[in-house]
Amino acid sequence: TRLETADIPEVAMQIRSLPTRAGTFLYVLLTGGPSIKASCWEKLILSQPNCWLLVLTWKEPMSDPLELVLHERVIPAYFPRSNIQEAKLSQHWIVLEIIHAQGWRFSHVIRADSDACLAWSSSLGTAEQEILAAEYGSPFVAFHAFLERDRPPVAVVHNIVDASAFSGSFNRSTGPLDLER
């Protein structure tokens, strides 16, 4: 069901009262379309039953591999005749609609660039990467474990290529993860 903006106060109260499913993650990707870095996101969605993927496009509908587009935990949303600013505003409302429709909240909603993919930090030595891989299996599983462990969960993953003011040393997220583009 589509929600109307006039419903915001009522919907907000309803959502606050919904139960949260521990250990669930909704990744929200914003892209012009039609494609995302499918190899990364397909691997995550198909291997992690606690992850969902919302892909918002505004130029063209999502056209990635059919297995990913049709997966039950992949939610494509296309906003024709809009721009990036309108799509950014729309992503918040779509997340509320998803939560409202399913009747439970995700424990984490993570906004990410569609061309980003978590990888072990290049600043880690081989031995450190092997230890983390043995303990967690993948960077995504480690990332999820760190978010679950840290309360309140706050993470800005450092990207060496495109560092921002939020990736400075004052952030507690500068651990073993980097973004690959």
Side-chain angles (χ1 to χ4, degrees):
T1 22
R2 295 297 313 214
L3 301 173
E4 298 299 322
T5 52
D7 299 332
I8 290 175
E10 182 183 331
V11 169
M13 292 302 292
Q14 291 172 3
I15 287 174
R16 269 190 234 136
S17 67
L18 293 175
T20 299
R21 279 203 187 157
T24 55
F25 302 86
L26 172 63
Y27 283 85
V28 181
L29 306 182
L30 182 63
T31 181
S35 187
I36 59 173
K37 191 171 183 175
S39 60
C40 167
W41 297 107
E42 184 174 26
K43 207 179 312 176
L44 169 71
I45 293 302
L46 298 180
S47 68
Q48 301 294 315
N50 60 342
C51 293
W52 284 256
L53 182 64
L54 169 59
V55 181
L56 290 105
T57 62
W58 70 90
K59 290 181 183 175
E60 299 177 53
M62 186 177 161
S63 67
D64 281 295
L66 199 55
E67 183 178 15
L68 183 60
V69 175
L70 296 178
H71 195 280
E72 64 186 11
R73 287 181 281 114
V74 175
I75 306 154
Y78 174 49
F79 292 93
R81 296 176 303 281
S82 63
N83 58 41
I84 189 169
Q85 290 80 13
E86 292 166 330
K88 282 181 179 180
L89 289 172
S90 299
Q91 72 181 335
H92 305 295
W93 191 244
I94 295 294
V95 168
L96 292 177
E97 285 184 337
I98 292 167
I99 292 168
H100 188 261
Q102 69 192 11
W104 54 270
R105 296 182 299 168
F106 295 94
S107 61
H108 303 279
V109 176
I110 302 161
R111 287 162 177 77
D113 289 337
S114 63
D115 62 347
C117 191
L118 285 177
W120 299 121
S121 175
S122 55
S123 64
L124 294 174
T126 304
E128 292 169 306
Q129 289 183 24
E130 289 172 356
I131 291 168
L132 286 167
E135 184 174 350
Y136 297 104
S138 76
F140 277 107
V141 175
F143 182 58
H144 295 166
F146 301 152
L147 286 175
E148 287 288 300
R149 178 193 68 200
D150 296 342
R151 293 289 174 197
V154 175
V156 176
V157 180
H158 181 68
N159 183 350
I160 293 174
V161 178
D162 186 23
S164 72
F166 298 104
S167 60
S169 58
F170 55 85
N171 243 316
R172 60 185 176 151
S173 63
T174 56
L177 304 170
D178 266 346
L179 291 177
E180 284 183 350
R181 290 183 186 254

